[in-house]
Amino acid sequence: MSHDDLGEQAVSTDVSASLPPDPAIGANEDVDPTVEVDPTAAMAEVILQTRRAVVPSIVIGVVGLIVGVITGELLAAVGLCIGLGLGMANARMLRTSVQRRFETLVETPGTKTHFLSGGAVRLGVLTGVTLLAVVLVQPLGLGMIVGMIIFQITMLVLAGASMLKVART
């Protein structure tokens, strides 16, 4: 058998049957890929992580308003509160979107959803509104940007702290 014959034989061999099944959502190398992840538990974790940032954000907004009144930067302080509110609204929409995706995949596995495109549209609208505010009323718009950044950082820090607790146990 020549080298060319071996190459043709290797290409014509069906190797797709020997591939392992795709792992379950959230699985890693240490987890048995045949074990399914409970979508209810995963959804509960998403809800918990996004809700934890609400109370600290409200406190930050109130403190920001007080500082804004004292320093005479009321528009920036109001923008901060609007930005924190937009961050909370974005987190709420994300929770709803994730919940719908889990429900759809549980009911009809393999169904394509518009999860990523919906997220892109949501973030595009938030960005457009914020940039419009920056152009029209600069202190308000900049406060909105800072508020959204603070909300995201707060949510990430709280989620990271929660993950560290789980990793230590």
Side-chain angles (χ1 to χ4, degrees), residues 1-12:
M1 208 181 263
S2 71
H3 179 59
D4 290 335
D5 292 337
L6 287 175
E8 288 176 18
Q9 183 181 8
V11 170
S12 65

Side-chain angles (χ1 to χ4, degrees), residues 64-137:
L65 277 175
I66 293 169
V67 170
V69 168
I70 291 170
T71 62
E73 294 292 336
L74 188 58
L75 276 177
V78 169
L80 174 79
C81 291
I82 292 171
L84 289 166
L86 287 174
M88 287 184 241
N90 182 45
R92 173 71 177 152
M93 288 185 277
L94 174 65
R95 275 196 315 261
T96 303
S97 179
V98 169
Q99 184 175 13
R100 266 191 261 130
R101 179 164 169 80
F102 272 112
E103 288 170 355
T104 301
L105 291 176
V106 166
E107 291 169 5
T108 52
T111 303
K112 292 191 178 204
T113 62
H114 300 288
F115 183 71
L116 293 177
S117 60
V121 168
R122 184 179 67 248
L123 293 175
V125 168
L126 286 173
T127 302
V129 167
T130 304
L131 290 177
L132 184 64
V134 168
V135 169
L136 296 178
V137 185

Side-chain angles (χ1 to χ4, degrees), residues 152-163:
Q152 292 301 319
I153 290 172
T154 303
M155 194 167 64
L156 287 172
V157 165
L158 292 172
S162 175
M163 288 172 32

Side-chain angles (χ1 to χ4, degrees), residues 39-62:
T40 307
M43 187 61 221
E45 185 63 25
V46 169
I47 290 171
L48 181 62
Q49 294 305 323
T50 56
R51 283 187 180 168
R52 281 187 177 151
V54 171
V55 172
S57 295
I58 291 171
V59 171
I60 291 168
V62 169

